[in-house]
Amino acid sequence: MDRIDFTEMGKRINSAFSGFAIIDEDGIIRNINSSFERNFALPASAIIGQPLDIILPELKKLKQVTDGVFETEIEGQCYYLIPTELCSGENCHWMGLSFINVALSGELAAKLKDERNINSELEEILEGSFDGILVTDRDGKILFVNSSYERVAEIKKSDMEGKSMRDLMNPVWMPNSVAYVVAEQKTAVSKRQIVKSGRHIMVTGKPIFDRTGEIKKIVINARDITEIYDLSEELQKSKETEKLYMERLSDFSQMNKKASPILAVSKEMKSALSLAEKVANFQATVLILGESGVGKEEVAKFIHKNSMRKDKPFIAINCGAIPDNLLESELFGYEKGAFTGAMNTGKVGLLEAAEGGTVFLDEIGETPLDFQVKLLRFLESKEVRRVGANHSKSVDVRVVAATNRDLEEMIEEGSFRRDLFYRVNVVQIEVPPLRKRKEDIVPLASFFLQKFNQKYGQEKLLTLEVVNELEKHQWVGNVRELKNVIENMVIVSNNEYLQTEDLPWTVKGKPAQKRRLIDEISEQDLTLAEATAELEKQILLRAKETCGSTREMAIKLNVNQSTIVRKMQKYNIG
């Protein structure tokens, strides 16, 4: 027999990390593995059939370390030599020799130990998370799942490990998996799901990309939001949102629910509405004061709807929107041929058209002095005379005026008549700005959210973080601004649960941040080339903070991925 047959054991020997040689009873090399060739740079074809002590003369100086283990130095490297008897008999006395590089083995062992420690620590961290964490590959195969996911998703860990998310899908409580939505859209996705017990959970999936921009893993986070969802259902999604606020957040039972669409929780707003309700059936002129957008017209409508005139017209007139030279003809009307361009039939004025009802004169402080005289005459006589007419006509209307200006200051300046002020200011109602009645923000936001969800066919919901931001905002535009903000988020946001980044001022703040960055750099004593380089570096650093890969950065900054990689190398951005 010339050599040992490697057919059965060849794969194991050749895959070994250590060098391995087989010698016969005369010390002649009969076979070696690939590690032996690599370690000693000796090809098998050149040494098989040669005496081992000639090929490796260092073996003549062996030092025994322990039973069956010897030590030698070959080309400056320390090796452990472990002999193993392969066959023994009259016709065969062959031996196997393992050559273990002490330095490489120790280094490998240390690396393996470090990797095991890191993996162990990472697993401990993930396992310690209160939120459920599940990791899949790009095809949805489950790679890791922690115990919290079992609790949150109500699926046994043993039923998930080694399986695909498709195996867990159920037409009743999990018709689709976030993992597949993430894989399809290649972006982070949040979805609300209902588990077997009926609890609500928020499941968020985020893709992890490889260097080519392809998804290699998907990390899924699951959190119990039952309490938050219940609160949202109560305050925001219920079809009886207005009724709930009336019953649970205020004492609206004292008001005519059918007549008032105004949500008032704050003491200040309820006080204003209480006064408005009190004066509703008196014919006295009312002056409503308040900043732009606080809802002065809604208060005027409230007065009208709670009065005996509620079945008659309510006509709102924005005095500031009508040119000065047209105010008289618009409010009082005109006769046929009264002036150039007049209709042949003449025209009924807005005051006359409101017969029996209420006229709301918004922005009365914007009217010119000459018209104020005519308006005062009407308020005192309740008669209108059309432009071009010879006779006056009695009109039965209730007048409610409003302004966001300081009329008393205007009187001192001479831009508003004192006698007109006394005439319209019989009863004064001040509507406080939204920033001074923060209790009304959430009810109003919920009301508008319900309204715009219905209008645009959406099911958006507020989150606690967004509510906090709404309450901190200054609301320069008051209720009108809040209404526009909610409508904007319902239309623009891709999130089912509205996030703080969906707020318009957060989006609008980004150009301002860029402007500040440019200003900071321009204030430094830099050359144009240095300033350009610094700006590029800062933009790359900020993009890296929010992007998971150079591919995402390239998309965000609208350049090629190769450009991102090259510039990051240029500025030593790891």
Side-chain angles (χ1 to χ4, degrees), residues 241-525:
T241 302
E242 183 176 352
K243 180 180 178 181
L244 284 171
Y245 279 121
M246 288 179 178
E247 292 178 350
R248 305 187 65 176
L249 299 177
S250 69
D251 56 357
F252 281 110
S253 59
Q254 298 176 4
M255 300 168 57
N256 185 335
K257 295 181 181 180
K258 294 183 179 180
S260 173
I262 303 176
L263 293 175
V265 176
S266 66
K267 178 181 177 181
E268 295 83 357
M269 195 61 194
K270 287 194 288 185
S271 177
L273 290 182
S274 177
L275 179 57
E277 184 180 33
K278 185 175 182 179
V279 303
N281 277 319
F282 291 91
Q283 300 309 306
T285 307
V286 177
L287 177 62
I288 303 174
L289 303 177
E291 296 178 5
S292 178
V294 293
K296 297 188 290 294
E297 184 174 341
E298 294 303 320
V299 174
K301 288 179 181 177
F302 175 81
I303 292 173
H304 174 73
K305 291 178 180 179
N306 282 276
S307 72
M308 293 181 292
R309 298 174 180 268
K310 62 184 178 182
D311 296 324
K312 298 295 182 179
F314 174 87
I315 295 181
I317 304 169
N318 188 331
C319 299
I322 302 174
D324 293 352
N325 60 337
L326 295 180
L327 265 173
E328 182 178 0
S329 60
E330 286 295 315
L331 268 69
F332 294 98
Y334 57 82
E335 294 291 334
K336 173 184 176 181
F339 51 84
T340 303
M343 291 191 297
N344 292 332
T345 57
K347 182 180 178 181
V348 175
L350 294 174
L351 295 174
E352 194 175 338
E355 174 66 34
T358 303
V359 171
F360 175 54
L361 298 178
D362 196 10
E363 304 304 343
I364 193 171
E366 305 298 326
T367 56
L369 286 168
D370 57 346
F371 178 76
Q372 291 177 24
V373 176
K374 296 169 184 176
L375 183 59
L376 176 62
R377 187 188 311 121
F378 163 72
L379 292 173
E380 291 178 339
S381 66
K382 291 297 176 69
E383 292 182 347
V384 297
R385 179 182 293 182
R386 296 184 183 182
V387 177
N390 296 321
H391 303 285
S392 299
K393 180 179 180 180
S394 295
V395 177
D396 176 24
V397 295
R398 166 78 173 280
V399 174
V400 178
T403 183
N404 62 358
R405 301 185 64 180
D406 188 336
L407 295 184
E408 294 186 70
E409 184 177 318
M410 293 178 66
I411 291 171
E412 296 301 322
E413 295 172 350
S415 57
F416 198 83
R417 292 181 62 93
R418 188 181 299 275
D419 48 5
L420 178 59
F421 174 72
Y422 292 144
R423 192 66 187 79
V424 298
N425 192 38
V426 177
V427 177
Q428 184 181 108
I429 299 175
E430 185 168 357
V431 183
L434 194 55
R435 62 183 172 277
K436 291 186 178 180
R437 48 184 176 109
K438 293 186 180 295
E439 299 95 326
D440 293 329
I441 292 175
V442 175
L444 285 168
S446 301
F447 175 76
F448 292 138
L449 184 65
Q450 183 189 43
K451 175 181 177 180
F452 293 121
N453 271 339
Q454 291 175 349
K455 180 177 180 179
Y456 298 114
Q458 300 294 311
E459 294 184 358
K460 303 293 174 66
L461 297 169
L462 293 172
T463 58
L464 182 59
E465 292 79 8
V466 169
V467 167
N468 290 336
E469 288 299 318
L470 293 178
E471 291 181 336
K472 287 191 293 185
H473 193 60
Q474 288 302 301
W475 298 113
V476 178
N478 292 292
V479 178
R480 185 183 293 119
E481 182 187 358
L482 175 60
K483 180 180 179 182
N484 290 342
V485 164
I486 298 299
E487 183 173 15
N488 174 278
M489 289 197 292
V490 169
I491 295 172
V492 175
S493 174
N494 294 320
N495 297 310
E496 180 182 0
Y497 281 78
L498 297 175
Q499 308 295 319
T500 52
E501 59 264 26
D502 297 321
L503 291 164
W505 55 80
T506 303
V507 176
K508 290 177 181 178
K510 291 180 180 178
Q513 292 172 5
K514 293 179 181 177
R515 180 70 256 174
R516 286 195 297 272
L517 174 60
I518 294 171
D519 290 342
E520 289 171 5
I521 294 173
S522 64
E523 289 172 1
Q524 301 177 39
D525 186 17

